[in-house]
Amino acid sequence: TANSPANPPSAAAAVTREFAVVRFQRLCGEFSIPVTVIGSTSAAMGPQADDTLANVLQSVEDTDGGLLYETRDQFGLGYRTLISLQNQSVAVTLNAAGRQIAPPAPTYDDQLVVNQWTVTNTDGYAAQATLTSGAVSVQAVPNGVGVYAKPANCNASAHAQVNAIAQQRLFVGTVDDVRYPTVTVNLAGPGVAPLFASVPGLRVGDYLQITNLPATVGGSATSSQLAWGYAETIGGNPQGWVIVFNTVPEAPFTTGYSPGVYSVVQAPVQGVASGSAVGSSVSGSQLADGAIPGLPPGATLSARSIGGVGSFIAS
């Protein structure tokens, strides 16, 4: 378990309010797991549970809202903090008209849609966030899409963080935009030579932009995505070098993202008094700066995110 001889159960309370990235590094160090970390600022966590290493590491991701992944340059684990995912500069720009990507394949589905989240903390406190009005709200079609509800858990040091986790998971689940599950770059193709350094150098979670998209795919001519993982194939033909990025919308990781009108209330759960309002219905444009959640991971090969992700608001 994570409470190894170096970290006995009696010491668990001593790491209350330990920052998520610090807990990740400490635990991996205790188990001699090589790590890579992107970012430094992260969530303050509650007491460490007496649980398996996998579950405790998962709670780091669930609470901070970053991305836990397998590293590509060593047999180890990586963690990218939520703050490092936010408000990024574009790392790579791919010109669709210039054939720098394979023909784009947008998806019009509800795979990532969640318009009501109920998040429960380890101390039993629960918060529920609901998109009450907007294109992807809980209202019936055509005013919304109906109720898409999911539960989640976290290990936050303060109840205010739980409210923010629920709220911001909601933002990620209510993106009203064209989705591109994969973006394929053939580095042996025409017009890609200038990208030989930047495309293979993309890290998990980096911001890539696709420009000059054809009108036939719908949406705007420019699409902003995060590289949530990738699969790289070298060979297969004499000049084969193909990287397929699993991508998720970048918009919810930008300060000021507005999904519509939402509410955040304390959720009634067993052993807790009936729900009371902890936040009022407000416009998404009234968001505080800085706390945007993570997303469900896509399927990947060479580098992949591990498990689900959560979110937090900086304390």
Side-chain angles (χ1 to χ4, degrees):
T1 67
N3 285 320
S4 63
N7 182 36
S10 60
V15 292
T16 299
R17 291 194 59 81
E18 181 179 40
F19 291 116
V21 71
V22 174
R23 182 165 296 181
F24 168 76
Q25 291 174 305
R26 175 177 58 78
L27 287 172
C28 288
E30 290 174 1
F31 286 84
S32 301
I33 300 172
V35 299
T36 297
V37 171
I38 303 173
S40 57
T41 304
S42 58
M45 300 191 65
Q48 181 180 311
D50 183 9
D51 205 340
T52 64
L53 176 63
N55 286 343
V56 177
L57 290 179
Q58 183 62 58
S59 74
V60 168
E61 187 183 52
D62 291 341
T63 306
D64 180 55
L67 184 60
L68 183 64
Y69 62 94
E70 294 176 347
T71 53
R72 62 185 178 186
D73 56 351
Q74 61 184 351
F75 187 71
L77 294 176
Y79 186 73
R80 181 159 190 166
T81 67
L82 171 64
I83 296 298
S84 74
L85 293 168
Q86 295 176 293
N87 299 317
Q88 298 183 63
S89 298
V90 178
V92 171
T93 298
L94 301 168
N95 186 342
R99 299 176 63 188
Q100 292 183 335
I101 63 172
T107 298
Y108 303 88
D109 62 15
D110 59 359
Q111 182 173 322
L112 301 184
V113 173
V114 185
N115 53 26
Q116 185 176 83
W117 277 103
T118 302
V119 179
T120 304
N121 200 33
T122 50
D123 63 2
Y125 178 87
Q128 185 175 84
T130 306
L131 187 65
T132 57
S133 178
V136 195
S137 72
V138 296
Q139 294 189 38
V141 177
N143 298 317
V145 296
V147 178
Y148 285 72
K150 278 190 177 182
N153 297 307
C154 67
N155 182 11
S157 68
H159 290 172
Q161 291 176 258
V162 185
N163 303 339
I165 290 169
Q167 172 186 308
Q168 295 165 62
R169 277 183 174 264
L170 181 72
F171 296 162
V172 165
T174 52
V175 176
D176 181 27
D177 200 358
V178 177
R179 189 169 75 87
Y180 292 88
T182 60
V183 174
T184 301
V185 181
N186 182 358
L187 289 162
V192 187
L195 305 175
F196 276 4
S198 58
V199 169
L202 271 179
R203 302 170 301 176
V204 173
D206 275 353
Y207 176 15
L208 65 87
Q209 192 174 75
I210 309 168
T211 60
N212 296 312
L213 285 162
T216 53
V217 302
S220 63
T222 299
S223 178
S224 298
Q225 303 287 321
L226 296 186
W228 216 242
Y230 71 92
E232 182 175 11
T233 303
I234 299 176
N237 62 62
Q239 295 179 326
W241 186 10
V242 177
I243 302 179
V244 180
F245 293 102
N246 299 104
T247 60
V248 295
E250 182 267 346
F253 293 87
T254 303
T255 300
Y257 168 70
S258 177
V261 178
Y262 64 91
S263 66
V264 181
V265 299
Q266 181 179 336
V269 295
Q270 186 176 3
V272 178
S274 59
S276 58
V278 297
S280 58
S281 295
V282 296
S283 166
S285 62
Q286 294 174 287
L287 296 181
D289 290 351
I292 307 295
L295 294 168
T300 58
L301 294 176
S302 300
R304 66 176 185 268
S305 55
I306 300 173
V309 294
S311 58
F312 90 113
I313 188 167
S315 57

